Amino acid sequence: MTTLGITDGRVLRPDLSVEEADVLVDREGGEVLDVGPDAGRDADERLDASGGLVVPGLVNAHTHAAMTLLRGYADDKPLESWLREDVWPAEAELTLDDIAAGTRLAALEMIRSGTTGFADMYFHVPRVAEVVETAGLRARLGHGVVTVGKDEAAAWADVEESLDVAETVRETSDRIETAFMPHSLTTVGEEYLREGVARARDLDVPVHIHANETRGEVDPLVEEHGVRPLEYAREVGLLEPEDFLAHGVHVDETEVELLAETGASVVHCPASNMKLASGMAPVQRLLDAGVGVGLGTDGAASNNDLSLLGELRDAAMLGKLAADDASAVAAPDAVRMATAGSADALSLPGGRIAPGEAADCIVVDLDAAHLTPVHDPVSHLAYAAAASDVRHTVCDGRVLMRDREVLTLDADAVRAEAADRARDLVTRAN
Ligand SMILES: CSC[C@H]1O[C@@H](n2cnc3c(O)ncnc32)[C@H](O)[C@@H]1O
Ligand SMILES: [Zn+2]
């Protein structure tokens, strides 16, 4: 066994207390061995955390990584017209190599901003998995199914592809898990949902879906089925404890209770919800009811970055507006959402720094003008720290970024290829 010591910093513990300590990591086993004063002093390799805070690696519980290629391509529109007029026509032109390049760019941005794990719903998932493996990240991946606008054969083929990906891609890496991923309750027909979800249960994979994102999606569904969207979701077999729903903006009291009873989680995406004017999720209400809540950026085209530190701030701010209460979604709640909340929602290791837990951690520099003084490091994580404050990123015991240099990807090459491909993509789409 060889060890990594993250030394001389302060460590955020699972109860969100902060203590001066080292973190000792088993590099091959990918787990935390010890947390305590001088625990890392004799380690084989050391990462200097002096002046910094050692935090669990952040977990982005809902994104579409390759949408980095569409960052800034179509802004200032609501979800439905943004998807139909801009995003879907561009996505129809994506090649496998585009998706690999966009995902690499996302991986670079995630490592730089302290994200060690993520959930991705997109296309050409085996290529996405290759990138995740090379970058050294952890992920739960799935092929997004859309059946509206397709003939029956094409719709079933899409369902089969998502199930096939869920079954096979999880075998490709110890850091990759999968899920069955129907796009939403309105873009996938009922028969496909019922059959796909039942088969996902046989494969023992969770289901990830967009749900209750906009009024434009909820109202017609209620009209058609005569029940709330999450009651319909339950009827078609969704809402098992390992399932996780993106957004959950327009949920009523019955649906909050249904989530709490079933144990399915919600992934809050505040920046995307604000940018597309989708609405404000009742996050404090969900937390009060005992619903598991994680945090996601959604794709870079509706955000427009993949920084979870930015998302933390948005979650804390928007949560107060939604509740009309300045004490709602307090700093520790937001930090918990981006760490243990997201990791638990995705059933992935990580989210807590303690012996036996996955060695997914980051060091956030606190020695910066905008982070001075440090009355409360948890407050700084929620309200003041930025992506560029992340100094080191470690996933599964491996150093992915040391002193702001990403070690697993060639940053210049990744940026150049993504910029070229994005330009060609939008030329083809237009
Ligand atoms: C079928 S793969 C995933 C699909 O989802 C689209 N998408 C991106 N952001 C959102 C969002 O906020 N709500 C719904 N769908 C979204 C993405 O462009 C892909 O087509
Ligand atoms: Zn999404």
Side-chain angles (χ1 to χ4, degrees):
M1 176 176 72
T2 61
T3 55
L4 170 72
I6 306 172
T7 58
D8 302 316
R10 286 192 269 176
V11 180
L12 185 71
R13 305 307 313 270
D15 64 359
L16 299 195
S17 63
V18 173
E19 68 186 48
E20 286 188 15
D22 294 351
V23 178
L24 183 68
V25 161
D26 170 359
R27 288 200 299 198
E28 289 80 27
E31 74 174 42
V32 174
L33 294 170
D34 195 8
V35 181
D38 296 328
R41 194 178 41 198
D42 300 323
D44 299 301
E45 181 189 354
R46 284 171 68 151
L47 273 183
D48 174 32
S50 56
L53 183 66
V54 190
V55 177
L58 306 174
V59 179
N60 189 345
H62 175 73
T63 192
H64 313 280
M67 289 187 83
T68 50
L69 295 191
L70 297 174
R71 188 194 326 259
Y73 170 62
D75 299 317
D76 311 323
K77 285 187 169 188
L79 176 69
E80 278 83 8
S81 51
W82 175 74
L83 284 175
R84 285 179 203 287
E85 293 163 15
D86 303 293
V87 171
W88 284 341
E91 286 179 338
E93 299 294 330
L94 281 168
T95 66
L96 266 72
D97 288 339
D98 291 337
I99 286 178
T103 307
R104 256 192 302 277
L105 180 63
L108 177 65
E109 186 182 355
M110 287 195 267
I111 293 169
R112 293 197 72 115
S113 56
T115 294
T116 54
F118 68 107
D120 197 58
M121 177 197 287
Y122 219 53
F123 316 105
H124 303 307
V125 182
R127 291 298 294 273
V128 174
E130 282 173 19
V131 174
V132 171
E133 178 60 12
T134 307
L137 291 165
R138 203 182 282 289
R140 189 170 285 279
L141 307 176
H143 169 89
V145 178
V146 175
T147 65
V148 286
K150 290 183 179 155
D151 64 31
E152 224 181 298
W156 281 117
D158 214 16
V159 173
E160 289 301 334
E161 181 166 359
S162 192
L163 291 165
D164 182 57
V165 156
E167 186 173 11
T168 57
V169 172
R170 64 183 166 183
E171 307 300 335
T172 60
S173 163
D174 289 345
R175 282 178 280 99
I176 294 176
E177 299 290 345
T178 56
F180 175 60
M181 297 198 183
H183 174 255
S184 79
L185 296 170
T186 53
T187 53
V188 180
E190 182 171 344
E191 67 273 39
Y192 307 105
L193 267 180
R194 283 186 188 279
E195 171 75 11
V197 170
R199 300 225 344 244
R201 304 298 172 219
D202 294 340
L203 292 174
D204 198 22
V205 292
V207 182
H208 178 41
I209 189 164
H210 294 94
N212 299 52
E213 183 175 0
T214 65
R215 280 196 205 293
E217 166 205 352
V218 168
D219 293 347
L221 191 148
V222 171
E223 184 105 326
E224 185 183 346
H225 296 279
V227 290
R228 293 290 305 170
L230 295 190
E231 293 175 312
Y232 168 69
R234 189 75 189 126
E235 275 176 32
V236 298
L238 278 151
L239 306 192
E240 287 297 307
E242 65 277 15
D243 294 346
F244 52 109
L245 317 176
H247 299 294
V249 172
H250 301 280
V251 285
D252 74 2
E253 210 40 46
T254 320
E255 291 172 296
V256 173
E257 276 158 31
L258 196 49
L259 287 163
E261 270 166 38
T262 58
S265 306
V266 169
V267 182
H268 179 39
C269 301
S272 171
N273 296 160
M274 288 190 281
K275 183 162 188 267
L276 301 171
S278 301
M280 299 186 282
V283 174
Q284 188 61 52
R285 177 68 199 103
L286 291 167
L287 294 173
D288 289 343
V291 177
V293 183
L295 199 61
T297 58
D298 215 340
S302 60
N303 188 299
N304 286 2
D305 65 44
L306 302 180
S307 166
L308 278 173
L309 285 167
E311 210 68 32
L312 268 176
R313 179 180 154 99
D314 290 340
M317 301 282 191
L318 188 63
K320 295 172 200 328
L321 259 192
D324 191 21
D325 176 1
S327 72
V329 193
D333 298 322
V335 171
R336 209 174 288 111
M337 260 187 255
T339 53
S342 282
D344 293 352
L346 304 190
S347 308
L348 286 180
R352 296 166 185 87
I353 299 178
E357 297 284 347
D360 295 7
C361 16
I362 62 173
V363 177
V364 179
D365 268 334
L366 296 177
D367 285 343
H370 63 282
L371 300 175
T372 303
V374 186
H375 294 301
D376 175 2
V378 174
S379 165
H380 277 3
L381 284 178
Y383 294 115
S388 55
D389 295 316
V390 179
R391 191 196 302 173
H392 311 302
T393 301
V394 175
C395 181
D396 201 28
R398 180 178 179 199
V399 182
L400 308 186
M401 180 171 77
R402 174 189 277 273
D403 289 319
R404 294 184 173 75
E405 186 195 349
V406 175
L407 305 177
T408 52
L409 297 167
D410 177 340
D412 290 341
V414 167
R415 280 200 316 115
E417 188 190 5
D420 283 352
R421 288 191 172 278
R423 192 194 48 237
D424 293 351
L425 171 68
V426 303
T427 306
R428 290 198 301 277
N430 291 309

